[in-house]
Amino acid sequence: MPACAGEIPLAMNPEPQVVEVSLQSDLKSVEAAEELAEDVCTKAGFDDEDLHKIGMAVHESVINAIWHGNKNDASKRVWLRFQIHPDRVEIHIRDQGSGFEPGRIPDPLESENLLKSSGRGIFLIRSFVDEFRVENLKGLGTEVILVKRRNSKEKKEA
Amino acid sequence: MSMKAKTRRVDSVTVVDITGRITLGEDLTELRQLIRNLLAQGDKSILLNLADVTYIDSSGIGELVSGFTAASNQGGQLKLLNLTKKVRDLLQITKLLTVFDVYEDEARAVGSFRKATGA
C-alpha cells in the first residue's frame, strides 16, 4: 500500500488535501484501510473518539466494497480517497460492483431483525458519520461517500 | 492484534476469555466453531468475557448474536461479561443490550446461570 501523504496542512486552504490508495479485494486491505483512515484523520486533527468512529465506518465500508461490491473477486480493486477540508473530511470508497440501494436494507433495530447475525454494517456507518451517500457509477462501480465534520459532536449537541 | 479465545470452567459455567479484535475473518470462524463445539458437548452455560476485546465490528456483533441464538435454541444460555466502553456503546446503539444478559462481576455472572438452571 502506498505510504500516507505526510503532514497535511489545513489552515486557510480552500483546496482539499487528497490522499488516495488502491486496494486489493482482500480482507487484509480492510485493516490497512482503517489504519490509513486513522492516520490521515489524526493528522487532520480529529480526536480519539472521532478517530474510532471514522476507522470503523471505513472498516465496514471497505468490507462491503470487497464482499458485496466486488464479490470477493481478487481481480477487482477498491479505491479509497480522503479529501481533507478545513471543516470536514470526505471519504470516498469505490468498488467495481453493481451497487445497492441503502433504502432497501432492513432496519436492524426492528424486533424481527434484532437476532439476525448480519445486516448491521450500513447502520453502524450511518451512526458514525455525519453524511452517508451512495452513488451508482453506471457500469463503473459504486461509490460510497462518508462525511465527518470537525467538532460534529458539539454541533449536534448545540 | 488478532483474536484469541481460551476456555475455563467455573462451577458449571464455561467462561471464554476473549482477547484482541473480533472482526470478519478466520478468527471469527474459530469463535463460531468454539461455541458450537461447547454446545455440542453439553456445555450449555457459556459466559463470554470481553474485558480484553479491543475492537468488534458488525460481523463480530453478528457472531455474538449467532452464539446467543444457538445456545438458546439448544436450551442453553450465552451471557456477556466485562464489556469495554466501545463494545458497550456498540451493543447499545444496535439495541442488543436489551437482548444479552451483561455482567461486570464474574461471580455474579456465574451465579446467575446457577439460578437459571437450578443447579
Side-chain angles (χ1 to χ4, degrees):
Chain A
M1 189 178 71
C4 175
E7 291 300 314
I8 300 162
L10 291 167
M12 307 304 288
N13 187 350
E15 291 296 317
Q17 302 294 310
V18 175
V19 178
E20 278 183 296
V21 290
S22 166
L23 301 166
Q24 291 183 330
S25 290
D26 182 302
L27 279 185
K28 288 176 188 162
S29 297
V30 177
E31 210 162 325
E34 187 184 330
E35 286 174 6
L36 177 62
E38 293 187 2
D39 189 22
V40 166
C41 294
T42 297
K43 288 175 174 138
F46 285 90
D47 64 23
D48 281 349
E49 193 176 336
D50 277 347
L51 290 175
H52 176 249
K53 290 177 178 174
I54 294 166
M56 190 145 191
V58 168
H59 174 103
E60 297 289 342
S61 299
V62 172
I63 284 177
N64 285 346
I66 292 170
W67 277 63
H68 302 298
N70 290 348
K71 311 288 185 203
N72 238 1
D73 180 343
S75 71
K76 293 184 175 176
R77 308 290 298 182
V78 175
W79 291 273
L80 188 58
R81 186 168 80 252
F82 299 87
Q83 296 178 350
I84 302 106
H85 300 261
D87 63 332
R88 68 192 188 281
V89 61
E90 279 189 25
I91 305 166
H92 299 242
I93 300 109
R94 181 154 65 91
D95 61 42
Q96 295 180 278
S98 55
F100 66 99
E101 290 183 37
R104 290 193 166 189
I105 296 170
D107 180 354
L109 303 187
E110 290 291 326
S111 56
E112 70 265 27
N113 299 325
L114 215 48
L115 289 180
K116 287 188 176 169
S117 61
S118 61
R120 296 179 180 84
I122 297 288
F123 170 80
L124 290 179
I125 296 167
R126 284 185 192 274
S127 301
F128 287 158
V129 297
D130 297 301
E131 283 180 42
F132 169 82
R133 303 197 300 273
V134 179
E135 292 184 4
N136 292 326
L137 304 174
K138 294 186 169 54
L140 295 172
T142 305
E143 186 160 281
V144 166
I145 300 155
L146 316 178
V147 179
K148 186 73 176 173
R149 295 187 209 295
R150 226 173 280 278
N151 303 319
S152 56
K153 190 166 51 181
E154 285 80 352
K155 281 177 191 166
K156 278 181 184 173
E157 288 170 357
Chain B
M1 180 184 168
S2 60
M3 193 203 78
K4 290 190 173 62
K6 286 185 182 170
T7 61
R8 56 190 166 90
R9 290 284 285 195
V10 180
D11 295 342
S12 59
V13 176
T14 303
V15 181
V16 184
D17 297 307
I18 304 175
T19 59
R21 293 165 59 96
I22 308 180
T23 58
L24 184 64
E26 288 175 15
D27 289 340
L28 207 56
T29 311
E30 284 178 24
L31 178 62
R32 180 182 313 153
Q33 201 54 52
L34 173 71
I35 293 171
R36 297 301 187 276
N37 288 347
L38 288 173
L39 292 171
Q41 67 194 32
D43 296 334
K44 294 187 177 178
S45 296
I46 301 171
L47 181 61
L48 301 185
N49 177 11
L50 306 183
D52 294 318
V53 170
T54 55
Y55 189 101
I56 187 166
D57 67 1
S58 67
S59 302
I61 293 170
E63 204 52 55
L64 298 186
V65 173
S66 175
F68 174 88
T69 51
S72 300
N73 290 341
Q74 296 182 43
Q77 287 182 298
L78 182 145
K79 303 185 180 190
L80 306 180
L81 174 66
N82 292 329
L83 304 185
T84 62
K85 183 179 182 306
K86 284 177 185 170
V87 173
R88 179 176 288 276
D89 287 349
L90 283 171
L91 295 185
Q92 172 91 51
I93 62 174
T94 51
K95 281 193 175 177
L96 290 170
L97 281 184
T98 63
V99 170
F100 287 104
D101 273 351
V102 178
Y103 294 87
E104 293 179 7
D105 179 88
E106 184 173 310
R108 285 189 64 185
V110 169
S112 74
F113 284 99
R114 204 158 34 228
K115 282 177 202 158
T117 58

Coordinates of all heavy atoms in Angstrom, one line a residue, chain A residues 27 31 34 38 49 52 55-57 59-60 63 67 108-110 114-118 120-121 123-124 127-128, chain B residues 1 21 23-26 55-59 61-63 65-66 68-69 85-86 90 93-96 98-99:
Chain A
L27 N -9.3 -9.3 2.5 CA -9.6 -8.9 3.9 C -8.4 -8.2 4.5 O -8.7 -7.3 5.4 CB -10.0 -10.1 4.7 CG -11.5 -10.5 4.6 CD1 -11.8 -11.6 5.6 CD2 -12.5 -9.4 4.7
E31 N -8.0 -3.9 7.2 CA -7.3 -3.3 8.3 C -6.3 -2.2 7.9 O -6.2 -1.2 8.5 CB -6.5 -4.4 9.1 CG -6.3 -4.1 10.5 CD -5.9 -5.3 11.3 OE1 -6.4 -6.5 11.0 OE2 -5.1 -5.2 12.2
E34 N -8.4 0.9 7.3 CA -8.8 1.5 8.6 C -7.6 2.3 9.3 O -7.7 3.4 9.8 CB -9.2 0.3 9.5 CG -9.8 0.7 10.8 CD -10.1 -0.6 11.6 OE1 -10.3 -1.7 11.0 OE2 -10.0 -0.5 12.8
E38 N -7.3 6.3 10.1 CA -7.0 6.9 11.4 C -5.7 7.7 11.3 O -5.6 8.8 12.0 CB -6.8 5.7 12.4 CG -8.2 5.0 12.7 CD -8.1 4.0 13.8 OE1 -7.1 3.9 14.4 OE2 -9.2 3.4 14.0
E49 N -12.1 9.9 19.9 CA -13.4 9.3 19.7 C -13.9 9.3 18.3 O -14.4 8.3 17.8 CB -14.4 10.1 20.6 CG -15.8 9.4 20.8 CD -16.7 10.1 21.7 OE1 -16.3 10.9 22.5 OE2 -17.9 9.9 21.5
H52 N -12.0 6.7 16.2 CA -12.5 5.3 16.3 C -13.7 5.2 15.4 O -13.9 4.2 14.6 CB -12.9 5.0 17.7 CG -13.6 3.7 17.9 ND1 -14.9 3.6 18.2 CD2 -13.2 2.4 17.7 CE1 -15.2 2.3 18.3 NE2 -14.2 1.6 18.0
G55 N -12.6 5.3 11.7 CA -11.9 4.0 11.4 C -13.0 2.9 11.2 O -12.9 2.1 10.3
M56 N -13.9 2.8 12.1 CA -14.9 1.8 12.0 C -15.8 2.0 10.8 O -16.2 1.0 10.1 CB -15.8 1.8 13.3 CG -16.7 0.6 13.4 SD -16.9 0.0 15.1 CE -17.7 -1.5 14.7
A57 N -16.2 3.2 10.4 CA -17.0 3.4 9.2 C -16.3 3.0 8.0 O -16.8 2.4 7.1 CB -17.4 4.9 9.2
H59 N -13.8 0.8 7.9 CA -13.7 -0.7 8.1 C -14.9 -1.4 7.5 O -14.8 -2.3 6.6 CB -13.5 -1.0 9.6 CG -13.6 -2.5 9.9 ND1 -12.4 -3.2 10.2 CD2 -14.6 -3.4 10.0 CE1 -12.7 -4.4 10.5 NE2 -14.0 -4.6 10.4
E60 N -16.1 -0.9 7.9 CA -17.3 -1.5 7.4 C -17.6 -1.3 5.9 O -18.0 -2.1 5.2 CB -18.5 -1.0 8.2 CG -18.5 -1.4 9.7 CD -18.8 -2.8 10.0 OE1 -19.3 -3.5 9.1 OE2 -18.4 -3.3 11.1
I63 N -15.2 -3.5 3.8 CA -15.7 -4.9 3.8 C -16.9 -5.0 2.8 O -17.0 -5.9 2.0 CB -16.2 -5.3 5.3 CG1 -15.0 -5.6 6.1 CG2 -17.1 -6.5 5.2 CD1 -15.3 -6.0 7.6
W67 N -16.8 -7.5 -0.3 CA -17.7 -8.7 -0.2 C -19.0 -8.5 -1.1 O -19.3 -9.3 -1.9 CB -18.2 -8.9 1.2 CG -17.2 -9.8 2.0 CD1 -15.9 -9.4 2.3 CD2 -17.3 -11.1 2.5 NE1 -15.3 -10.4 2.9 CE2 -16.1 -11.4 3.1 CE3 -18.4 -12.0 2.5 CZ2 -15.9 -12.7 3.7 CZ3 -18.2 -13.2 3.1 CH2 -17.0 -13.6 3.7
P108 N -32.0 -2.9 11.2 CA -31.5 -3.9 12.1 C -32.1 -3.7 13.5 O -31.9 -4.6 14.4 CB -30.0 -3.8 12.1 CG -29.7 -2.4 11.7 CD -30.8 -2.0 10.8
L109 N -32.7 -2.5 13.8 CA -33.3 -2.3 15.1 C -34.7 -2.8 15.3 O -35.2 -2.8 16.4 CB -33.2 -0.8 15.5 CG -31.8 -0.1 15.4 CD1 -31.9 1.3 15.9 CD2 -30.8 -0.9 16.2
E110 N -35.3 -3.1 14.1 CA -36.7 -3.7 14.2 C -36.6 -5.0 14.9 O -35.7 -5.8 14.8 CB -37.3 -3.9 12.8 CG -37.6 -2.6 12.1 CD -38.7 -1.8 12.7 OE1 -39.7 -2.5 13.2 OE2 -38.7 -0.6 12.7
L114 N -33.6 -8.1 15.1 CA -32.7 -7.9 16.2 C -31.8 -9.1 16.4 O -30.6 -9.0 16.7 CB -33.5 -7.6 17.5 CG -32.9 -6.7 18.5 CD1 -32.4 -5.4 17.8 CD2 -33.9 -6.4 19.6
L115 N -32.3 -10.3 16.1 CA -31.5 -11.5 16.4 C -30.9 -12.0 15.1 O -30.4 -13.2 15.0 CB -32.3 -12.6 17.0 CG -32.7 -12.3 18.5 CD1 -33.5 -13.4 19.1 CD2 -31.4 -12.1 19.3
K116 N -30.8 -11.2 14.0 CA -30.2 -11.7 12.8 C -28.7 -11.5 13.0 O -28.2 -10.6 13.7 CB -30.6 -10.8 11.6 CG -32.0 -11.2 11.2 CD -32.4 -10.5 9.9 CE -33.8 -11.0 9.4 NZ -34.4 -10.2 8.4
S117 N -27.9 -12.4 12.3 CA -26.5 -12.4 12.5 C -25.7 -11.5 11.6 O -24.5 -11.3 11.6 CB -25.9 -13.8 12.4 OG -26.2 -14.3 11.1
S118 N -26.5 -10.8 10.7 CA -25.9 -9.8 9.8 C -26.8 -8.7 9.5 O -27.9 -8.7 10.0 CB -25.5 -10.5 8.5 OG -26.6 -11.0 7.8
R120 N -25.9 -5.2 10.0 CA -25.7 -4.0 10.8 C -24.7 -3.1 10.3 O -24.5 -2.0 10.9 CB -25.3 -4.5 12.3 CG -26.4 -5.2 13.0 CD -26.0 -5.7 14.4 NE -27.1 -6.4 15.0 CZ -27.3 -7.7 14.8 NH1 -26.5 -8.4 14.0 NH2 -28.4 -8.3 15.4
G121 N -24.0 -3.5 9.2 CA -22.8 -2.7 8.8 C -23.2 -1.2 8.3 O -22.6 -0.3 8.8
F123 N -25.9 0.4 9.0 CA -26.5 1.1 10.2 C -25.3 1.7 11.0 O -25.4 2.9 11.4 CB -27.3 0.1 11.0 CG -27.7 0.7 12.4 CD1 -28.8 1.6 12.5 CD2 -27.0 0.4 13.5 CE1 -29.1 2.2 13.7 CE2 -27.3 1.0 14.7 CZ -28.4 1.8 14.8
L124 N -24.3 0.9 11.2 CA -23.1 1.4 12.0 C -22.4 2.6 11.3 O -22.1 3.6 11.9 CB -22.1 0.3 12.4 CG -22.7 -0.8 13.4 CD1 -21.6 -1.8 13.6 CD2 -23.0 -0.1 14.7
S127 N -24.3 5.6 11.7 CA -24.3 6.1 13.1 C -23.0 6.9 13.4 O -23.0 7.7 14.3 CB -24.3 4.9 14.1 OG -25.5 4.2 13.9
F128 N -21.9 6.6 12.6 CA -20.6 7.1 13.0 C -20.2 8.3 12.2 O -19.1 8.9 12.4 CB -19.6 6.0 12.9 CG -19.7 5.0 14.0 CD1 -19.2 3.7 13.8 CD2 -20.3 5.3 15.2 CE1 -19.3 2.8 14.8 CE2 -20.4 4.4 16.2 CZ -19.8 3.1 16.0
Chain B
M1 N -4.0 -6.7 16.5 CA -3.9 -7.9 17.3 C -5.0 -8.8 16.9 O -6.2 -8.5 17.0 CB -3.9 -7.5 18.8 CG -3.8 -8.7 19.7 SD -4.0 -8.1 21.4 CE -4.2 -9.7 22.2
R21 N -9.2 -8.5 18.6 CA -10.2 -7.9 17.7 C -11.2 -9.1 17.3 O -10.7 -10.1 16.8 CB -9.6 -7.3 16.5 CG -8.7 -6.1 16.8 CD -7.9 -5.8 15.6 NE -8.6 -5.5 14.4 CZ -8.9 -4.3 13.9 NH1 -8.6 -3.2 14.6 NH2 -9.6 -4.1 12.8
T23 N -13.4 -9.6 14.6 CA -13.7 -9.0 13.3 C -13.8 -10.1 12.2 O -13.3 -11.2 12.4 CB -12.7 -7.9 12.8 OG1 -11.4 -8.6 12.8 CG2 -12.6 -6.7 13.8
L24 N -14.4 -9.7 11.1 CA -14.6 -10.7 10.0 C -13.3 -11.3 9.6 O -12.3 -10.7 9.5 CB -15.1 -9.9 8.8 CG -15.5 -10.7 7.5 CD1 -16.6 -11.7 7.8 CD2 -15.8 -9.8 6.4
G25 N -13.3 -12.7 9.5 CA -12.1 -13.4 9.1 C -12.0 -14.7 9.7 O -13.0 -15.2 10.3
E26 N -10.9 -15.4 9.7 CA -10.7 -16.7 10.2 C -11.0 -16.8 11.7 O -11.5 -17.8 12.2 CB -9.3 -17.3 9.8 CG -9.1 -17.6 8.4 CD -7.7 -18.0 8.1 OE1 -6.9 -18.3 9.0 OE2 -7.3 -17.9 6.9
Y55 N -11.7 -4.4 20.0 CA -12.4 -3.9 18.8 C -13.4 -5.0 18.4 O -13.1 -6.2 18.5 CB -11.4 -3.6 17.7 CG -11.9 -2.9 16.5 CD1 -11.7 -1.6 16.3 CD2 -12.6 -3.6 15.5 CE1 -12.1 -0.9 15.2 CE2 -13.1 -3.0 14.3 CZ -12.8 -1.6 14.2 OH -13.3 -1.0 13.1
I56 N -14.6 -4.6 18.0 CA -15.5 -5.5 17.4 C -16.2 -4.8 16.3 O -16.6 -3.7 16.4 CB -16.5 -6.0 18.5 CG1 -17.4 -7.1 18.0 CG2 -17.4 -4.9 19.1 CD1 -18.2 -7.9 19.1
D57 N -16.4 -5.6 15.2 CA -17.1 -4.9 14.0 C -18.5 -5.6 13.9 O -19.0 -6.3 14.7 CB -16.3 -5.1 12.8 CG -16.1 -6.5 12.3 OD1 -16.7 -7.4 12.9 OD2 -15.4 -6.7 11.2
S58 N -19.2 -5.2 12.8 CA -20.6 -5.7 12.7 C -20.6 -7.2 12.5 O -21.6 -7.8 13.0 CB -21.3 -5.0 11.4 OG -20.7 -5.5 10.2
S59 N -19.6 -7.8 11.9 CA -19.6 -9.3 11.8 C -19.3 -9.9 13.2 O -19.9 -10.9 13.5 CB -18.4 -9.7 10.9 OG -18.6 -9.1 9.6
I61 N -20.2 -8.6 16.0 CA -21.5 -8.4 16.8 C -22.5 -9.5 16.3 O -23.1 -10.2 17.1 CB -22.1 -7.0 16.5 CG1 -21.3 -5.9 17.1 CG2 -23.5 -7.0 17.1 CD1 -21.6 -4.5 16.7
G62 N -22.5 -9.8 15.0 CA -23.4 -10.8 14.4 C -23.0 -12.2 15.0 O -23.9 -13.0 15.3
E63 N -21.7 -12.4 15.2 CA -21.3 -13.7 15.8 C -21.8 -13.9 17.2 O -22.1 -15.0 17.6 CB -19.8 -13.8 15.7 CG -19.3 -15.2 15.6 CD -20.0 -16.1 14.6 OE1 -20.0 -15.7 13.4 OE2 -20.6 -17.1 14.9
V65 N -24.5 -12.6 18.4 CA -25.9 -12.8 18.3 C -26.1 -14.3 17.9 O -27.0 -15.0 18.4 CB -26.6 -11.9 17.3 CG1 -28.0 -12.3 17.1 CG2 -26.5 -10.4 17.8
S66 N -25.3 -14.7 16.9 CA -25.5 -16.1 16.4 C -25.2 -17.1 17.6 O -25.9 -18.1 17.7 CB -24.4 -16.3 15.3 OG -24.4 -17.6 14.9
F68 N -25.6 -16.5 20.7 CA -26.7 -16.4 21.7 C -27.9 -17.2 21.2 O -28.5 -18.0 22.0 CB -27.1 -14.9 21.8 CG -28.3 -14.6 22.6 CD1 -28.2 -14.4 23.9 CD2 -29.6 -14.6 22.0 CE1 -29.4 -14.2 24.7 CE2 -30.7 -14.3 22.7 CZ -30.6 -14.1 24.1
T69 N -28.2 -17.1 19.9 CA -29.4 -17.9 19.5 C -29.1 -19.4 19.4 O -30.0 -20.2 19.7 CB -29.9 -17.4 18.1 OG1 -28.8 -17.3 17.2 CG2 -30.4 -16.0 18.1
K85 N -16.0 0.1 27.0 CA -16.9 1.1 26.7 C -17.3 1.1 25.2 O -18.4 1.2 24.8 CB -16.3 2.5 27.0 CG -17.3 3.7 26.7 CD -16.7 5.0 27.0 CE -17.7 6.1 26.7 NZ -18.2 6.1 25.4
K86 N -16.3 0.8 24.4 CA -16.5 0.7 22.9 C -17.5 -0.4 22.6 O -18.5 -0.2 21.8 CB -15.2 0.5 22.1 CG -14.4 1.7 22.0 CD -13.1 1.4 21.3 CE -12.1 2.6 21.3 NZ -10.8 2.2 20.8
L90 N -21.5 0.0 21.2 CA -22.0 -0.6 20.0 C -23.2 -1.5 20.3 O -24.2 -1.5 19.5 CB -20.9 -1.5 19.4 CG -19.8 -0.8 18.6 CD1 -18.7 -1.7 18.2 CD2 -20.4 -0.2 17.4
I93 N -26.2 1.0 20.7 CA -26.8 1.6 19.6 C -27.5 0.6 18.7 O -28.4 0.9 17.9 CB -25.9 2.5 18.7 CG1 -24.7 1.7 18.2 CG2 -25.3 3.6 19.6 CD1 -23.8 2.5 17.2
T94 N -27.1 -0.7 18.8 CA -27.7 -1.8 18.0 C -28.9 -2.4 18.8 O -29.4 -3.4 18.3 CB -26.7 -2.8 17.6 OG1 -26.0 -3.3 18.7 CG2 -25.7 -2.3 16.5
K95 N -29.2 -1.9 19.9 CA -30.3 -2.4 20.8 C -30.0 -3.7 21.3 O -31.0 -4.4 21.8 CB -31.6 -2.3 20.1 CG -32.3 -1.0 20.0 CD -33.7 -1.2 19.5 CE -34.5 0.2 19.5 NZ -35.9 0.0 19.0
L96 N -28.8 -4.2 21.3 CA -28.5 -5.6 21.7 C -28.3 -5.7 23.2 O -28.3 -6.8 23.8 CB -27.3 -6.2 20.9 CG -27.7 -6.4 19.5 CD1 -26.4 -6.8 18.7 CD2 -28.7 -7.6 19.3
T98 N -30.5 -5.0 25.1 CA -31.8 -5.4 25.5 C -32.0 -6.9 25.3 O -32.9 -7.6 25.8 CB -33.0 -4.7 24.7 OG1 -32.8 -5.1 23.3 CG2 -32.9 -3.2 24.8
V99 N -31.0 -7.5 24.6 CA -31.1 -8.9 24.3 C -30.2 -9.7 25.2 O -30.6 -10.7 25.8 CB -30.6 -9.2 22.8 CG1 -30.4 -10.7 22.5 CG2 -31.6 -8.6 21.8

